[in-house]
Amino acid sequence: MSEPLTNTRALRIATRPPRTRLDVWPRRTHRRWLLRGIFALPYVIFAVVVSALGATDSPNATLVARATQIDWERADAQWLGEIFPPISTLLAAFVPGGALTLSIIGALSAGVFLQKLIEIMVQRRFARSTIVILMMALALNPLFFYNATQNYAAFLGLLLFGLGLSHIVRFVTWGNTESGFRVGIYFMVAVLTDVTALVYVTAAALSAPILRHRRVGVVGARRANALVILYPAVSALISLAVLNALFLGRPFAGATQSAFTGFGDRLVVVGQFFSTTEGLFVIAPLVSAWLVALIVRRPGAIIISTLVFGAFIVGFALGLLPNGSTGNIFMAMTLLAIALIPTARSARGTLMISLVGVLQLLIGWANALTSTALALWASQIFGG
């Protein structure tokens, strides 16, 4: 009996179509969802335990408090400004369970995202050791746990940003038109979910022309690519700004109204912050992204990572980065490095990328252990 079964299995494997760069992973739907559930489980448990321990001060709690103060029976232009960014605000206002529910939604989103991230690396034919190390660097540190379960708006914005980055590479470098439209949608939803995404999404989209293009020699191709990527997000923001200008006399309202208030003072705070130990560890992920760019011989990625890093600094100086946010730069730089790493071509290159992944893992923990915001939040749970 064993021989026919063995022959049938061998025939099924032999006739299976070859994997392409855009195939889903795992191939079977139930296995993908099982993997997503396994990845999400630790974060769900963490969210429930933290809630049971009585942590009440978090970005999720602040978002819920703001959403409950909005008059939902209105529908005027000022109201549109108050609910911006609308996706996270509407979710916080209407899901039952308040901050705990947002924490669980964030945990489930983390499970889906981590599966998609592995799928991207499998499509790029990363070595298994590299996949494991990069996944550990991103997901197995307190920063990821904190953002997934306590800072849903910023976390979802970063997840969409990471998926959008992978589609930028497919669109610009591989010439996949469908990915161009997908990255536009991802970036638009990110902007409508997290105010901070206004700056880092714009930086990533404007840096797309720096990537190596498939359409070499085509006049205007780089500008066209950037337009396709930015068009959905820019259209949504311009529509909101026009409504505010027509009915309120100013283009910005709500979360973006006071963006330039205290800009200079916050820039001074940034300069002082980077002179501290915590600030140095915040810069360290940028250095790792540079190392990856040099290893894979994509010097343009250095410019891209620097622009995105600078966008976060501008976001803080504009007051767009909400209180309690921590680890955003680490996560963004890690996602950027993963998105820009090409298919592994040599054992030496794979080894060097894996070593940078180990370095990124250590940097993530150093970021967490020196983070003032994370320490203040943890003191609620452990009583100082």
Side-chain angles (χ1 to χ4, degrees):
M1 292 294 293
S2 61
E3 184 176 353
L5 288 174
T6 303
N7 291 338
T8 301
R9 188 179 297 110
L11 178 62
R12 186 168 62 250
I13 294 173
T15 56
R16 180 182 296 171
R19 180 175 293 279
T20 68
R21 291 190 294 186
L22 297 176
D23 280 345
V24 296
W25 182 91
R27 289 178 185 266
R28 296 174 182 256
T29 303
H30 72 276
R31 291 183 179 177
R32 287 199 301 276
W33 282 103
L34 177 62
L35 189 63
R36 291 167 182 173
I38 292 172
F39 283 148
L41 184 59
Y43 303 101
V44 172
I45 294 173
F46 182 80
V48 173
V49 170
V50 166
S51 178
L53 291 174
T56 58
D57 187 13
S58 69
N60 280 350
T62 302
L63 177 62
V64 171
R66 184 175 72 85
T68 55
Q69 294 173 359
I70 296 174
D71 182 2
W72 293 100
E73 295 183 358
R74 294 166 51 197
D76 51 48
Q78 185 173 355
W79 176 81
L80 288 175
E82 290 176 356
I83 70 169
F84 188 85
I87 293 178
S88 54
T89 305
L90 287 167
L91 195 64
F94 292 105
V95 295
L100 175 59
T101 302
L102 289 182
S103 297
I104 294 176
I105 293 174
L108 296 175
S109 301
V112 175
F113 175 70
L114 293 176
Q115 179 271 323
K116 293 297 292 183
L117 201 60
I118 295 180
E119 180 180 278
I120 291 168
M121 291 188 279
V122 170
Q123 290 169 347
R124 303 257 182 95
R125 297 179 177 87
F126 283 21
R128 290 186 180 181
S129 59
T130 304
I131 294 175
V132 171
I133 292 171
L134 290 175
M135 288 293 291
M136 289 175 61
L138 179 66
L140 289 184
N141 68 72
L143 296 174
F144 195 88
F145 273 81
Y146 171 80
N147 279 283
T149 62
Q150 306 300 314
N151 196 3
Y152 177 74
F155 184 69
L156 183 58
L158 284 169
L159 299 196
L160 294 167
F161 173 67
L163 293 174
L165 285 173
S166 67
H167 282 283
I168 282 183
V169 174
R170 291 173 176 175
F171 175 51
V172 175
T173 305
W174 298 359
N176 187 288
T177 306
E178 180 184 350
S179 290
F181 292 105
R182 286 190 177 187
V183 65
I185 298 300
Y186 280 135
F187 281 179
M188 180 187 70
V189 178
V191 167
L192 296 178
T193 302
D194 178 31
V195 178
T196 316
L198 285 168
V199 286
Y200 63 72
V201 161
T202 302
L206 293 179
S207 62
I210 301 172
L211 292 173
R212 184 180 303 165
H213 280 242
R214 180 172 181 173
R215 300 175 179 88
V216 179
V218 179
V219 178
R222 297 179 184 272
R223 292 191 299 272
N225 286 342
L227 181 62
V228 169
I229 292 168
L230 275 175
Y231 177 76
V234 170
S235 298
L237 292 175
I238 289 178
S239 299
L240 181 61
V242 169
L243 286 173
N244 286 329
L246 288 175
F247 294 98
L248 302 178
R250 58 179 185 270
F252 301 107
T256 57
Q257 183 178 353
S258 58
F260 291 96
T261 304
F263 179 81
D265 294 336
R266 282 192 288 266
L267 277 181
V268 173
V269 172
V270 169
Q272 295 172 345
F273 173 74
F274 285 130
S275 64
T276 65
T277 303
E278 181 182 355
L280 292 176
F281 282 122
V282 169
I283 297 176
L286 175 63
V287 178
S288 294
W290 289 348
L291 289 175
V292 170
L294 293 175
I295 292 170
V296 301
R297 298 179 181 179
R298 285 188 172 179
I302 294 178
I303 301 175
I304 297 173
S305 57
T306 305
L307 284 174
V308 173
F309 180 86
F312 275 99
I313 305 306
V314 171
F316 175 81
L318 290 173
L320 299 179
L321 203 64
N323 293 330
S325 294
T326 184
N328 297 39
I329 292 178
F330 168 78
M331 290 177 58
M333 292 297 106
T334 305
L335 293 173
L336 189 64
I338 292 173
L340 296 178
I341 295 174
T343 300
R345 296 178 180 176
S346 66
R348 181 174 175 272
T350 298
L351 175 61
M352 294 180 70
I353 290 174
S354 297
L355 291 175
V356 175
V358 173
L359 176 62
Q360 192 74 343
L361 174 63
L362 298 176
I363 289 172
W365 276 89
N367 264 276
L369 295 176
T370 58
S371 170
T372 304
L374 195 62
L376 291 173
W377 173 78
S379 67
Q380 301 176 62
I381 305 173
F382 302 110

